[in-house]
C-alpha cells in the first residue's frame, strides 16, 4: 500500500514531538499501521522558527487552510489548541472527507457532539486520545478495554500542572506562584494558566471521560468546577496529620438520580495509590462492575508523551483505511443513536464527605454550637481536632472530617456556622472521597 499522507496543524511542543516520534519509530509504526505514514505539509504561525524536529521534505505554510484543503492529505492532525479556529479547521477537514486526529480537549468537550455528527455524516474518523491525560491510553482503555463493564465511577488527576503545584507545595513548602511559573517554563501549563489552576482544563477532560464511561452526550457546561488557588500549606499539613492527601480530582459517578460531574480539591486517604501520584504525572481510577477498580498512570503532558497518543491515533486511523469502515469504534464508545439522556446532577444533590477548618473562640460551648448545627442537618462527624491557640491568640483552629452528606445540607450548615459570633472568618471546606 502507498504511504498515507498526513497534514499537521501546529508545530509547537506537541507538533514537534509528533514529528520526532513518527520519524524515530517510522519502521515499527509502519509495521503496525500496515503502510508508511508521511507528513507532507505542516502549518505553523512562524515557519522560520528553530524546531526540535526535522522538517525536511515537509511543505511549511502559515496558512492552515492549505492543510485542510491539500488534495493528497488523508489525515489532518490538529495541534493548534484553542477553540474557534480549531473548530472551523476541523469541520472543514471533515467536510473535505479527511480523517482528523486532535489533542484538543476544549474542542472535543465543547464542540465534540457537533463534530462527531459531522464526521459520521461524512464517513470519517475523529480520534482524540491525546486530549485526555496526555500519553495514558485512557480513552482506548475505557472505550474498548472496559467495554464489557457497567462503569460506576471514575476519578482522575488529569491536570499535570495542578498536581505539580500541589506536590511542590506539600513536599518543599514552595510558594504557589513560584511553582506555577516553573510549570509554565517546562511547557506543561495551558496558554492561559487559570485553565490549569481553576480546573477548567480538568473539566474539559472529565467531560470527555464521563461521556465515554456512561454513554452520555458531552456536557462541559454542567461540570462543577473549583480550583486549587485557595488551598493553603496549613490545610495540606492538617490533612496529612489525619492520614489524607489533597489532590485536585475530576470525579464522575453514576447514581440512581443522575450523573455527578465535578472537579475540585479532594482529600483522599494517603494509602490509596492515586494519592501518591505526584508531580506532573496523571492517573485515572476507573471502577467497573465486572473488573472492579483499575488504575491508569503516566505522563499527562509534554511533547513526546502527548505525541505517543497522537501517533497511536494516526495508526488507528490508517489501520481503518485497509479494513471495514463500518466496524469503527464509536466516537463516544456507545453507538451514536443510543446515547442516554440521564441527567447531570446539580452540585447541591451530590453526596460527599468533607474536611472543614474554622477559627473558633477558645471558650466553653463553642464546639457544642457547631456540632449542634451539623447534627440538626444530619451531618455526622468522623474526626475532630482542635489545635491549641498559639501565643496570646484567643482563637483555636478546629478541623473536622465528616461522613457523607448532601452538598446542599453542608452549604446550609456552613452558612449557619459562619453566622455564629464565636466563629471568625470563613469555614474552609474541602471535599473528601475514600475511593474504595
Ligand atoms: N496543561 C495541561 C496539564 C496540559 O498541565 O495537564 C495537558 O493537557
Amino acid at each position: 500500500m502507498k504511504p498515507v499522507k498526513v497534514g499537521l496543524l501546529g508545530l509547537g511542543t506537541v507538533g514537534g514531538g509528533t514529528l520526532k516520534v513518527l520519524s524515530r519509530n517510522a519502521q515499527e509504526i509502519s509495521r503496525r499501521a500496515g503502510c508508511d505514514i508521511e507528513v507532507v505539509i505542516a502549518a505553523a504561525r512562524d515557519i522560520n522558527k528553530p524546531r526540535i524536529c526535522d522538517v525536511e521534505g515537509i511543505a511549511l505554510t502559515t496558512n492552515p487552510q492549505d492543510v485542510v484543503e491539500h488534495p493528497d492529505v488523508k489525515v489532518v492532525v490538529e495541534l493548534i489548541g484553542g477553540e474557534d479556529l480549531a473548530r472551523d479547521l476541523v469541520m472543514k477537514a471533515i467536510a473535505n472527507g479527511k480523517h482528523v486526529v486532535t489533542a484538543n480537549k476544549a474542542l472535543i468537550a465543547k464542540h465534540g457532539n457537533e463534530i462527531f455528527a459531522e464526521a459520521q455524516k461524512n464517513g470519517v474518523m475523529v480520534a482524540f486520545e491525546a486530549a485526555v491525560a496526555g500519553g495514558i491510553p485512557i480513552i482506548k482503555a475505557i472505550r474498548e478495554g472496559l467495554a464489557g463493564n457497567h462503569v460506576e465511577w471514575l476519578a482522575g488527576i488529569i491536570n499535570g500542572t495542578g498536581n505539580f503545584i500541589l506536590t511542590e507545595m506539600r513536599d518543599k513548602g514552595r510558594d504557589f506562584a513560584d511553582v506555577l511559573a516553573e510549570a509554565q517554563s517546562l511547557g506543561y501549563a495551558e496558554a492561559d494558566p487559570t485553565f490549569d489552576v481553576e480546573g477548567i482544563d480538568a473539566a474539559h477532560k472529565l467531560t470527555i471521560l464521563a461521556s465515554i464511561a456512561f454513554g452520555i452526550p458531552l456536557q462541559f457546561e454542567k461540570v462543577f468546577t473549583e480550583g486549587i488557588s485557595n488551598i493553603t500549606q496549613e490545610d495540606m499539613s492538617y490533612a496529612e496529620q489525619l492520614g489524607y492527601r489533597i489532590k485536585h480530582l475530576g470525579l464522575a459517578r453514576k447514581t440512581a438520580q443522575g450523573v455527578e460531574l465535578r472537579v475540585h480539591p479532594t482529600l483522599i486517604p494517603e494509602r490509596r495509590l492515586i494519592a501518591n501520584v505526584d508531580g506532573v504525572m496523571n492517573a485515572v481510577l476507573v471502577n467497573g462492575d465486572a473488573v472492579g477498580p483499575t488504575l491508569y498512570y503516566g505522563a499527562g503532558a509534554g511533547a513526546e508523551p502527548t505525541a505517543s497518543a497522537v501517533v497511536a491515533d494516526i495508526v488507528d486511523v490508517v489501520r481503518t483505511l485497509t479494513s471495514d469502515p463500518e466496524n469503527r469504534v464509536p466516537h463516544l464508545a456507545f453507538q451514536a443513536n443510543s446515547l442516554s439522556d440521564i441527567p447531570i446532577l446539580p452540585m447541591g444533590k451530590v453526596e460527599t464527605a468533607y474536611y472543614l477548618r474554622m477559627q473558633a473562640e477558645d471558650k466553653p460551648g463553642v464546639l457544642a454550637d457547631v456540632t449542634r448545627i451539623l447534627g440538626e442537618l444530619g451531618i455526622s462527624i468522623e474526626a475532630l481536632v482542635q489545635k491549641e491557640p498559639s501565643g496570646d491568640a484567643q482563637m483555636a483552629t478546629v478541623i473536622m472530617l465528616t461522613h457523607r452528606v448532601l452538598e446542599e445540607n453542608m452549604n446550609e450548615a456552613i452558612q449557619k456556622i459562619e453566622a455564629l459570633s464565636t466563629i471568625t472568618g470563613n469555614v474552609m471546606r474541602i471535599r473528601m472521597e475514600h475511593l474504595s
Side-chain angles (χ1 to χ4, degrees), residues 19 62 68 88 132 145 217 240 268 302 304 327 356 388 390 393 415 417:
L19 283 184
T62 52
V68 296
D88 292 349
V132 183
E240 200 118 3
I268 314 172
E304 292 209 12
N327 283 325
L356 303 176
E388 275 180 53
S390 56
Q415 218 176 15
I417 294 171

Side-chain angles (χ1 to χ4, degrees), residues 105 158-161 188-190 196 201 205 300-301:
K105 51 252 161 160
I158 42 182
N159 181 269
T161 303
Y188 298 131
E190 294 302 300
D196 296 299
D201 176 74
K205 295 166 180 168

